[in-house]
mmCIF file with all atom_site columns, all heavy atoms in Angstrom:
data_model
loop_
_atom_site.group_PDB
_atom_site.id
_atom_site.type_symbol
_atom_site.label_atom_id
_atom_site.label_alt_id
_atom_site.label_comp_id
_atom_site.label_asym_id
_atom_site.label_entity_id
_atom_site.label_seq_id
_atom_site.pdbx_PDB_ins_code
_atom_site.Cartn_x
_atom_site.Cartn_y
_atom_site.Cartn_z
_atom_site.occupancy
_atom_site.B_iso_or_equiv
_atom_site.pdbx_formal_charge
_atom_site.auth_seq_id
_atom_site.auth_comp_id
_atom_site.auth_asym_id
_atom_site.auth_atom_id
_atom_site.pdbx_PDB_model_num
ATOM 1   N N   . LEU A 1 46 ? 162.414 -263.818 -1.006 1.00 98.00 ? 46 LEU A N   1
ATOM 2   C CA  . LEU A 1 46 ? 162.273 -264.124 0.423  1.00 98.00 ? 46 LEU A CA  1
ATOM 3   C C   . LEU A 1 46 ? 161.549 -265.458 0.619  1.00 98.00 ? 46 LEU A C   1
ATOM 4   O O   . LEU A 1 46 ? 161.903 -266.247 1.501  1.00 98.00 ? 46 LEU A O   1
ATOM 5   C CB  . LEU A 1 46 ? 161.532 -262.994 1.133  1.00 98.00 ? 46 LEU A CB  1
ATOM 6   C CG  . LEU A 1 46 ? 161.365 -263.152 2.650  1.00 98.00 ? 46 LEU A CG  1
ATOM 7   C CD1 . LEU A 1 46 ? 162.725 -263.218 3.339  1.00 98.00 ? 46 LEU A CD1 1
ATOM 8   C CD2 . LEU A 1 46 ? 160.528 -262.009 3.220  1.00 98.00 ? 46 LEU A CD2 1
ATOM 9   N N   . GLY A 1 47 ? 160.522 -265.702 -0.198 1.00 98.00 ? 47 GLY A N   1
ATOM 10  C CA  . GLY A 1 47 ? 159.820 -266.977 -0.119 1.00 98.00 ? 47 GLY A CA  1
ATOM 11  C C   . GLY A 1 47 ? 160.735 -268.151 -0.433 1.00 98.00 ? 47 GLY A C   1
ATOM 12  O O   . GLY A 1 47 ? 160.682 -269.197 0.221  1.00 98.00 ? 47 GLY A O   1
ATOM 13  N N   . GLN A 1 48 ? 161.585 -267.981 -1.446 1.00 98.00 ? 48 GLN A N   1
ATOM 14  C CA  . GLN A 1 48 ? 162.558 -269.020 -1.767 1.00 98.00 ? 48 GLN A CA  1
ATOM 15  C C   . GLN A 1 48 ? 163.509 -269.250 -0.592 1.00 98.00 ? 48 GLN A C   1
ATOM 16  O O   . GLN A 1 48 ? 163.817 -270.392 -0.230 1.00 98.00 ? 48 GLN A O   1
ATOM 17  C CB  . GLN A 1 48 ? 163.347 -268.626 -3.016 1.00 98.00 ? 48 GLN A CB  1
ATOM 18  C CG  . GLN A 1 48 ? 162.501 -268.532 -4.281 1.00 98.00 ? 48 GLN A CG  1
ATOM 19  C CD  . GLN A 1 48 ? 163.178 -267.751 -5.389 1.00 98.00 ? 48 GLN A CD  1
ATOM 20  O OE1 . GLN A 1 48 ? 164.406 -267.587 -5.396 1.00 98.00 ? 48 GLN A OE1 1
ATOM 21  N NE2 . GLN A 1 48 ? 162.414 -267.252 -6.345 1.00 98.00 ? 48 GLN A NE2 1
ATOM 22  N N   . ALA A 1 49 ? 163.963 -268.141 0.003  1.00 98.00 ? 49 ALA A N   1
ATOM 23  C CA  . ALA A 1 49 ? 164.867 -268.239 1.152  1.00 98.00 ? 49 ALA A CA  1
ATOM 24  C C   . ALA A 1 49 ? 164.202 -268.981 2.311  1.00 98.00 ? 49 ALA A C   1
ATOM 25  O O   . ALA A 1 49 ? 164.831 -269.830 2.961  1.00 98.00 ? 49 ALA A O   1
ATOM 26  C CB  . ALA A 1 49 ? 165.310 -266.852 1.603  1.00 98.00 ? 49 ALA A CB  1
ATOM 27  N N   . ARG A 1 50 ? 162.943 -268.677 2.570  1.00 97.00 ? 50 ARG A N   1
ATOM 28  C CA  . ARG A 1 50 ? 162.230 -269.362 3.655  1.00 97.00 ? 50 ARG A CA  1
ATOM 29  C C   . ARG A 1 50 ? 162.134 -270.861 3.397  1.00 97.00 ? 50 ARG A C   1
ATOM 30  O O   . ARG A 1 50 ? 162.301 -271.672 4.312  1.00 97.00 ? 50 ARG A O   1
ATOM 31  C CB  . ARG A 1 50 ? 160.827 -268.781 3.821  1.00 97.00 ? 50 ARG A CB  1
ATOM 32  C CG  . ARG A 1 50 ? 160.789 -267.390 4.427  1.00 97.00 ? 50 ARG A CG  1
ATOM 33  C CD  . ARG A 1 50 ? 159.378 -267.044 4.857  1.00 97.00 ? 50 ARG A CD  1
ATOM 34  N NE  . ARG A 1 50 ? 158.944 -267.922 5.932  1.00 97.00 ? 50 ARG A NE  1
ATOM 35  C CZ  . ARG A 1 50 ? 157.680 -267.936 6.411  1.00 97.00 ? 50 ARG A CZ  1
ATOM 36  N NH1 . ARG A 1 50 ? 156.766 -267.148 5.888  1.00 97.00 ? 50 ARG A NH1 1
ATOM 37  N NH2 . ARG A 1 50 ? 157.356 -268.744 7.408  1.00 97.00 ? 50 ARG A NH2 1
ATOM 38  N N   . ASN A 1 51 ? 161.872 -271.237 2.143  1.00 98.00 ? 51 ASN A N   1
ATOM 39  C CA  . ASN A 1 51 ? 161.792 -272.667 1.820  1.00 98.00 ? 51 ASN A CA  1
ATOM 40  C C   . ASN A 1 51 ? 163.123 -273.360 2.085  1.00 98.00 ? 51 ASN A C   1
ATOM 41  O O   . ASN A 1 51 ? 163.168 -274.454 2.663  1.00 98.00 ? 51 ASN A O   1
ATOM 42  C CB  . ASN A 1 51 ? 161.377 -272.844 0.368  1.00 98.00 ? 51 ASN A CB  1
ATOM 43  C CG  . ASN A 1 51 ? 159.924 -272.501 0.129  1.00 98.00 ? 51 ASN A CG  1
ATOM 44  O OD1 . ASN A 1 51 ? 159.091 -272.601 1.032  1.00 98.00 ? 51 ASN A OD1 1
ATOM 45  N ND2 . ASN A 1 51 ? 159.588 -272.094 -1.086 1.00 98.00 ? 51 ASN A ND2 1
ATOM 46  N N   . PHE A 1 52 ? 164.202 -272.729 1.660  1.00 98.00 ? 52 PHE A N   1
ATOM 47  C CA  . PHE A 1 52 ? 165.523 -273.330 1.893  1.00 98.00 ? 52 PHE A CA  1
ATOM 48  C C   . PHE A 1 52 ? 165.877 -273.362 3.375  1.00 98.00 ? 52 PHE A C   1
ATOM 49  O O   . PHE A 1 52 ? 166.391 -274.371 3.888  1.00 98.00 ? 52 PHE A O   1
ATOM 50  C CB  . PHE A 1 52 ? 166.597 -272.565 1.123  1.00 98.00 ? 52 PHE A CB  1
ATOM 51  C CG  . PHE A 1 52 ? 166.604 -272.829 -0.355 1.00 98.00 ? 52 PHE A CG  1
ATOM 52  C CD1 . PHE A 1 52 ? 166.471 -271.781 -1.261 1.00 98.00 ? 52 PHE A CD1 1
ATOM 53  C CD2 . PHE A 1 52 ? 166.757 -274.112 -0.848 1.00 98.00 ? 52 PHE A CD2 1
ATOM 54  C CE1 . PHE A 1 52 ? 166.484 -272.021 -2.633 1.00 98.00 ? 52 PHE A CE1 1
ATOM 55  C CE2 . PHE A 1 52 ? 166.770 -274.364 -2.220 1.00 98.00 ? 52 PHE A CE2 1
ATOM 56  C CZ  . PHE A 1 52 ? 166.635 -273.315 -3.118 1.00 98.00 ? 52 PHE A CZ  1
ATOM 57  N N   . LEU A 1 53 ? 165.618 -272.264 4.089  1.00 98.00 ? 53 LEU A N   1
ATOM 58  C CA  . LEU A 1 53 ? 165.985 -272.206 5.503  1.00 98.00 ? 53 LEU A CA  1
ATOM 59  C C   . LEU A 1 53 ? 165.131 -273.154 6.342  1.00 98.00 ? 53 LEU A C   1
ATOM 60  O O   . LEU A 1 53 ? 165.630 -273.743 7.315  1.00 98.00 ? 53 LEU A O   1
ATOM 61  C CB  . LEU A 1 53 ? 165.861 -270.773 6.028  1.00 98.00 ? 53 LEU A CB  1
ATOM 62  C CG  . LEU A 1 53 ? 166.870 -269.762 5.454  1.00 98.00 ? 53 LEU A CG  1
ATOM 63  C CD1 . LEU A 1 53 ? 166.604 -268.376 6.011  1.00 98.00 ? 53 LEU A CD1 1
ATOM 64  C CD2 . LEU A 1 53 ? 168.299 -270.192 5.730  1.00 98.00 ? 53 LEU A CD2 1
ATOM 65  N N   . THR A 1 54 ? 163.866 -273.288 5.990  1.00 97.00 ? 54 THR A N   1
ATOM 66  C CA  . THR A 1 54 ? 163.019 -274.241 6.693  1.00 97.00 ? 54 THR A CA  1
ATOM 67  C C   . THR A 1 54 ? 163.534 -275.667 6.506  1.00 97.00 ? 54 THR A C   1
ATOM 68  O O   . THR A 1 54 ? 163.600 -276.465 7.458  1.00 97.00 ? 54 THR A O   1
ATOM 69  C CB  . THR A 1 54 ? 161.562 -274.141 6.203  1.00 97.00 ? 54 THR A CB  1
ATOM 70  O OG1 . THR A 1 54 ? 161.065 -272.833 6.484  1.00 97.00 ? 54 THR A OG1 1
ATOM 71  C CG2 . THR A 1 54 ? 160.666 -275.163 6.897  1.00 97.00 ? 54 THR A CG2 1
ATOM 72  N N   . TYR A 1 55 ? 163.928 -275.986 5.278  1.00 98.00 ? 55 TYR A N   1
ATOM 73  C CA  . TYR A 1 55 ? 164.473 -277.317 5.014  1.00 98.00 ? 55 TYR A CA  1
ATOM 74  C C   . TYR A 1 55 ? 165.808 -277.507 5.740  1.00 98.00 ? 55 TYR A C   1
ATOM 75  O O   . TYR A 1 55 ? 166.060 -278.578 6.330  1.00 98.00 ? 55 TYR A O   1
ATOM 76  C CB  . TYR A 1 55 ? 164.626 -277.513 3.508  1.00 98.00 ? 55 TYR A CB  1
ATOM 77  C CG  . TYR A 1 55 ? 165.058 -278.913 3.110  1.00 98.00 ? 55 TYR A CG  1
ATOM 78  C CD1 . TYR A 1 55 ? 164.688 -280.022 3.850  1.00 98.00 ? 55 TYR A CD1 1
ATOM 79  C CD2 . TYR A 1 55 ? 165.840 -279.120 1.973  1.00 98.00 ? 55 TYR A CD2 1
ATOM 80  C CE1 . TYR A 1 55 ? 165.080 -281.310 3.492  1.00 98.00 ? 55 TYR A CE1 1
ATOM 81  C CE2 . TYR A 1 55 ? 166.227 -280.385 1.604  1.00 98.00 ? 55 TYR A CE2 1
ATOM 82  C CZ  . TYR A 1 55 ? 165.853 -281.486 2.363  1.00 98.00 ? 55 TYR A CZ  1
ATOM 83  O OH  . TYR A 1 55 ? 166.247 -282.753 2.002  1.00 98.00 ? 55 TYR A OH  1
ATOM 84  N N   . ALA A 1 56 ? 166.651 -276.501 5.724  1.00 97.00 ? 56 ALA A N   1
ATOM 85  C CA  . ALA A 1 56 ? 167.925 -276.584 6.440  1.00 97.00 ? 56 ALA A CA  1
ATOM 86  C C   . ALA A 1 56 ? 167.695 -276.820 7.927  1.00 97.00 ? 56 ALA A C   1
ATOM 87  O O   . ALA A 1 56 ? 168.401 -277.615 8.566  1.00 97.00 ? 56 ALA A O   1
ATOM 88  C CB  . ALA A 1 56 ? 168.745 -275.318 6.218  1.00 97.00 ? 56 ALA A CB  1
ATOM 89  N N   . ALA A 1 57 ? 166.698 -276.123 8.498  1.00 97.00 ? 57 ALA A N   1
ATOM 90  C CA  . ALA A 1 57 ? 166.397 -276.306 9.915  1.00 97.00 ? 57 ALA A CA  1
ATOM 91  C C   . ALA A 1 57 ? 165.934 -277.723 10.206 1.00 97.00 ? 57 ALA A C   1
ATOM 92  O O   . ALA A 1 57 ? 166.298 -278.321 11.234 1.00 97.00 ? 57 ALA A O   1
ATOM 93  C CB  . ALA A 1 57 ? 165.328 -275.301 10.349 1.00 97.00 ? 57 ALA A CB  1
ATOM 94  N N   . GLU A 1 58 ? 165.130 -278.308 9.307  1.00 96.00 ? 58 GLU A N   1
ATOM 95  C CA  . GLU A 1 58 ? 164.696 -279.694 9.477  1.00 96.00 ? 58 GLU A CA  1
ATOM 96  C C   . GLU A 1 58 ? 165.890 -280.643 9.470  1.00 96.00 ? 58 GLU A C   1
ATOM 97  O O   . GLU A 1 58 ? 165.962 -281.589 10.263 1.00 96.00 ? 58 GLU A O   1
ATOM 98  C CB  . GLU A 1 58 ? 163.726 -280.083 8.359  1.00 96.00 ? 58 GLU A CB  1
ATOM 99  C CG  . GLU A 1 58 ? 162.382 -279.374 8.420  1.00 96.00 ? 58 GLU A CG  1
ATOM 100 C CD  . GLU A 1 58 ? 161.525 -279.699 7.205  1.00 96.00 ? 58 GLU A CD  1
ATOM 101 O OE1 . GLU A 1 58 ? 161.960 -280.527 6.369  1.00 96.00 ? 58 GLU A OE1 1
ATOM 102 O OE2 . GLU A 1 58 ? 160.436 -279.117 7.068  1.00 96.00 ? 58 GLU A OE2 1
#
Side-chain angles (χ1 to χ4, degrees):
L46 182 61
Q48 295 163 20
R50 288 194 65 187
N51 287 334
F52 285 123
L53 292 178
T54 298
Y55 186 32
E58 292 174 4

